[in-house]
Every structure is written in structure tokens, then in C-alpha cells.
């Protein structure tokens, strides 16, 4: 435990040199190391420290939002990211970076440096992402969701885990405001859009009472349904890729909630990429279908092949599960997956709207080229987001989802 202070490149090197396991990972002496800041997110500072034997990624919280020092922010967010990594690592294995060190006083985490990887969002914009990444994301969500669910753990363990992440109030408040609320308020100063072309569709959305009622249902789902531990901010900017190696990073928004939230957030970003780059349309459709099928397979595989069960589903017998699709267990599984899809569709709609007119927008739209194309991509995103939110309860399958986008 160390007394908190914002680290610089020089002071970080001194810190790492005083911790033998970290020093050994870098190799040589501190004089041989280099540290460079690579912060590109909204909240934290990130340094890459390199030495003769290897490199480390070091992430530290600031007492404010990095991109807006006037916005005060509790320091604990890196602690929640570390707790998230510890909670899901056994289930997802190499699909997240390895966590090497946590200093709770400095609010500093030291982890594996993914120096051979690239951010998925940038790779999609450039058209260099390998096909099939959707399968890896589906597997990740399926494995993490099962391992932290009431179906996998006794309720005592779920409550203990849920209690940890129920204290992640500051970042959950950001989600509630920026994703679930702000875009639908006329007087919210954090909203922004291209004017005057987008003025009318934004005004229609912010005056749409039927839409607001449907958003309220999703607010309730997010805040009251604790199915599993979520990543909480799963989008193409929080995924690193290198060939077939896909890693999920930045779990600081982790919170218990409906499984469809993570799936919907990620899929929405694929849809918006296709709207900005129409030549990606079939590619993104394929990735969405692959993601959903891989999620179902990963979740169901864990469900069928786990010897121990939580309190939900504890009455199932494996031999009964393996029977033909007419069994009651098959019907219950179908009901569960339909509900995940309902949630997925609704939260995807929320993500498309907030990334188009809210505080934290996406770079994909800039890839549309000229201004008319960018406007068209944004208008499509708003229209599709509204449609998904309103019709979420009737979207049961990935085919139906794709019909609506």
C-alpha cells in the first residue's frame, strides 16, 4: 500500500524498480527502462514501461476525468477493474490481460502489455480486423456470464461478489446518465450533434414519449436485474486483437446486471461501423450472428458440463438436459435466451443513440468520408436505435435482430 500521488514516467520507473517481481519482468536496471504515456481513454492515465526482458502496462486513476479535470471522479475505479479481472480470469483465461500487481493506495494496476495487439475499433475502421472476432467476444461473454451467475454459484457467493461491485457507484452513475438518460433530455449540456442537419431527428427523439417509456423499462432492467457480473463498457474500443487472439480490457465499469447489456453494447458498435462504412455491412452481419451463436454455445456448454451448480437450476439432471428439444429444460433454456435477446436489442438501441448524440461518441462516423455520408450514418443509427428500443420485447432471435438493423 502506498500513499496516493499521480505518477509521472520517472516516478513510475522508480516505483517499479522497488518491486522485485515487476523489476524482473522488465529486466536489467531502471536506467535501461523507458516509460511512455499512451493514455487515450477518457478517465485514466496509462503508461507502457519497457525494459530489456519485457514490458508492462501500468494504469492509474486520477481524482478527476482525464479529459475534463473539472469533472471530479473517485479514485477507486482501477480497484474495480482489478477486482473484475480477478473475478472472471478463471473463466475467460487468456481473453483478458494478465494482472501482475495491484497497489490499492496508489490506485495503480500493472498488467500484461499487449504490445502486439491493436484496438479493434481502429482495425475495423481501417478494414484490417480479422474475420471471426465476433466468436471470441461471444465466448468471452458466455464464459464470464455463466461463471458469475446464480446458475453457477450458490447465492451466498453471488451476494459476496455482488456486494463488491455494488460499490462501483461513480462509474455506474456515468452509465445511468450518459447511456440511459442524457440523450433523451433537451436540456442536457453534455449532448452534442451535428447541427443543423441533425436538429430535427434529435428533437423528435427527445419529444417521443413512447420511446421514453420504453427507455424507462430498460433503465429498470439495468438497475434491478442482477443476472451476472458485466464488463459494463464492452465496445470495440475495449477490445484488443492480434490475429485470432482477442483480449477484452478496461473492466472498470464492472457491475452486476442483465447479460444482454454487454452483448447489446458491443453489437451496437458493429452496426454503427457498418452504417459509417457500408461496404462492411455483410461482414458485420456475419460477426453479429457469429457472436450470438458463440455466446449461446459457450454459456450452454458450461451449463451442461459443470459438475456443481448454483441455486438456480440446481434441480436439473444432466441426463434430462441431453434429451430432445421437447424437454422442459430445453423450453426453459429457450425462454432464458429469448430474454437475453430482448435485453440485447434494447440496450443496443440505447448504445446507438448515445454514441450518436451523447457525450462519448465514436470515431467510426468519421470514416464515412464526406459530411452527407456522416449525416446519413448518424440518422440511420438514431432511427435504428429507436426501433430496437421500442420493439425489443418482440425480438427473439438473431435473425429478427438483423432484420431490424
Amino acid at each position: 500500500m502506498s500513499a496516493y500521488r499521480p505518477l509521472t514516467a520517472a516516478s513510475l520507473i522508480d516505483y517499479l524498480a522497488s518491486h522485485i517481481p515487476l523489476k524482473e519482468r522488465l529486466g536489467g536496471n531502471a536506467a535501461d527502462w523507458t516509460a511512455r504515456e499512451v493514455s487515450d481513454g477518457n478517465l485514466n492515465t496509462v503508461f507502457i514501461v519497457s525494459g530489456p526482458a519485457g514490458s508492462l502496462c501500468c494504469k492509474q486513476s486520477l481524482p478527476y476525468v482525464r479529459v475534463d479535470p473539472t469533472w471530479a471522479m473517485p479514485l477507486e475505479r482501477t480497484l474495480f477493474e482489478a477486482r473484475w479481472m480477478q473475478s472472471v480470469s478463471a473463466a475467460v483465461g487468456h481473453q483478458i490481460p494478465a494482472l501482475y500487481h495491484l497497489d490499492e493506495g496508489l490506485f495503480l494496476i500493472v498488467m500484461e502489455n499487449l504490445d502486439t495487439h491493436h484496438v479493434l475499433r481502429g482495425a475495423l475502421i481501417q478494414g484490417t480486423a480479422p474475420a471471426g472476432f465476433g466468436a471470441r467476444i461471444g465466448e468471452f461473454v458466455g464464459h464470464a456470464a455463466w461463471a458469475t451467475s446464480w446458475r453457477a454459484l450458490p447465492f451466498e457467493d453471488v451476494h459476496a461478489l455482488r456486494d463488491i461491485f455494488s460499490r462501483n457507484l461513480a462509474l455506474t452513475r456515468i452509465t445511468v446518465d450518459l447511456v440511459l438518460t442524457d440523450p433523451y433530455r433537451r436540456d442536457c449540456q453534455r449532448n452534442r450533434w451535428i447541427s443543423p442537419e441533425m436538429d430535427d431527428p434529435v428533437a423528435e427523439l427527445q419529444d417521443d414519449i413512447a420511446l421514453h417509456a420504453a427507455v424507462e423499462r430498460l433503465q429498470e432492467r439495468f438497475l434491478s436485474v442482477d443476472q451476472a457480473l458485466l464488463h459494463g463498457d464492452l465496445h470495440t474500443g475495449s477490445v484488443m486483437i492480434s490475429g485470432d487472439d482477442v483480449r477484452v480490457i478496461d473492466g472498470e465499469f464492472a457491475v452486476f446486471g442483465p447479460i444482454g447489456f454487454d452483448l447489446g453494447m458491443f453489437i451496437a458498435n458493429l452496426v454503427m461501423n457498418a452504417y459509417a462504412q457500408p461496404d462492411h455491412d455483410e461482414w458485420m452481419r456475419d460477426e453479429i450472428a457469429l457472436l450470438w451463436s458463440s455466446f449461446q454455445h459457450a454459456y450452454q456448454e458450461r451449463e451442461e458440463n459443470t459438475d456443481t451448480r448454483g441455486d438456480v437450476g440446481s434441480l436439473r439432471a444432466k441426463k434430462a438436459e441431453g434429451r430432445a428439444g421437447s424437454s422442459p429444460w430445453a423450453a426453459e433454456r429457450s425462454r432464458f435466451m429469448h430474454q437475453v435477446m430482448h435485453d440485447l436489442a434494447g440496450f443496443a438501441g440505447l448504445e446507438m443513440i448515445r454514441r450518436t448524440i451523447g457525450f462519448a461518441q465514436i470515431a467510426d462516423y468519421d470514416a464515412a468520408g464526406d459530411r452527407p455520408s456522416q449525416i446519413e450514418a448518424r440518422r440511420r443509427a438514431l432511427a435504428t436505435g429507436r426501433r430496437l428500443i421500442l420493439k425489443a420485447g418482440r425480438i427473439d432471435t438473431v435473425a429478427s435482430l438483423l432484420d431490424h438493423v
Side-chain angles (χ1 to χ4, degrees), residues 62-270:
L62 297 170
Y64 48 80
V65 174
R66 186 183 67 84
V67 297
D68 183 3
T70 65
W71 187 345
M73 185 66 57
L75 291 163
E76 290 84 0
R77 55 192 182 272
T78 48
L79 304 187
F80 289 112
E81 179 169 356
R83 301 289 182 249
W84 169 77
M85 295 173 78
Q86 293 165 341
S87 299
V88 303
S89 62
V92 304
H94 70 281
Q95 289 189 288
I96 62 173
L99 176 64
Y100 297 141
H101 180 73
L102 168 64
D103 189 315
E104 297 190 15
L106 279 176
F107 300 96
L108 171 72
I109 55 178
V110 182
M111 68 189 104
E112 178 183 5
N113 176 30
L114 303 176
D115 55 341
T116 62
H117 291 62
H118 302 280
V119 177
L120 177 57
R121 188 182 303 283
L124 286 175
I125 291 172
Q126 296 164 14
T128 59
F133 64 84
R136 306 287 82 79
I137 299 300
E139 290 169 2
F140 167 82
V141 176
H143 290 153
W146 165 259
T148 58
S149 73
W150 309 86
R151 297 171 184 269
L153 301 172
F155 80 86
E156 294 91 345
D157 292 352
V158 177
H159 275 284
L161 194 59
R162 189 176 61 169
D163 286 349
I164 294 171
F165 292 95
S166 68
R167 297 191 288 272
N168 196 3
L169 299 177
L171 269 64
T172 303
R173 169 52 65 188
I174 289 177
T175 300
V176 170
D177 288 349
L178 269 59
V179 179
L180 300 167
T181 309
D182 285 357
Y184 310 95
R185 289 177 167 164
R186 276 186 172 269
D187 59 349
C188 181
Q189 297 302 308
R190 288 191 289 239
N191 293 334
R192 53 193 175 92
W193 56 85
I194 297 178
S195 184
E197 292 95 332
M198 296 293 295
D199 290 352
D200 287 345
V202 171
E204 292 173 5
L205 181 146
Q206 293 177 338
D207 290 339
D208 189 336
I209 302 303
L211 176 63
H212 297 177
V215 170
E216 182 176 310
R217 290 193 291 273
L218 291 166
Q219 291 172 332
E220 184 176 26
R221 292 289 296 174
F222 177 75
L223 291 170
S224 66
V225 177
D226 294 338
Q227 284 181 326
L229 179 61
L230 308 179
H231 176 278
D233 194 29
L234 188 59
H235 54 78
T236 54
S238 56
V239 173
M240 305 285 287
I241 59 167
S242 178
D244 192 48
D245 188 16
V246 178
R247 309 287 191 98
V248 177
I249 62 172
D250 294 344
E252 61 205 356
F253 280 82
V255 67
F256 265 75
I259 296 167
F261 183 84
D262 276 353
L263 294 166
M265 297 279 278
F266 189 82
I267 285 175
N269 281 263
L270 302 186

Side-chain angles (χ1 to χ4, degrees), residues 345-402:
F347 290 120
L350 291 175
E351 172 74 350
M352 295 180 72
I353 289 172
R354 77 100 168 195
R355 291 291 192 180
T356 303
I357 65 171
F359 177 77
Q361 299 191 10
I362 56 171
D364 302 65
Y365 286 133
D366 295 335
D370 57 28
R371 187 179 177 100
S373 298
Q374 293 180 16
I375 297 298
E376 175 61 20
R378 287 176 165 88
R379 283 177 172 266
R380 290 185 69 191
L382 286 191
T384 300
R386 177 183 181 277
R387 184 163 59 249
L388 290 177
I389 292 169
L390 289 172
K391 297 186 177 183
R394 288 172 279 172
I395 298 175
D396 290 334
T397 65
V398 71
S400 177
L401 176 74
L402 291 171

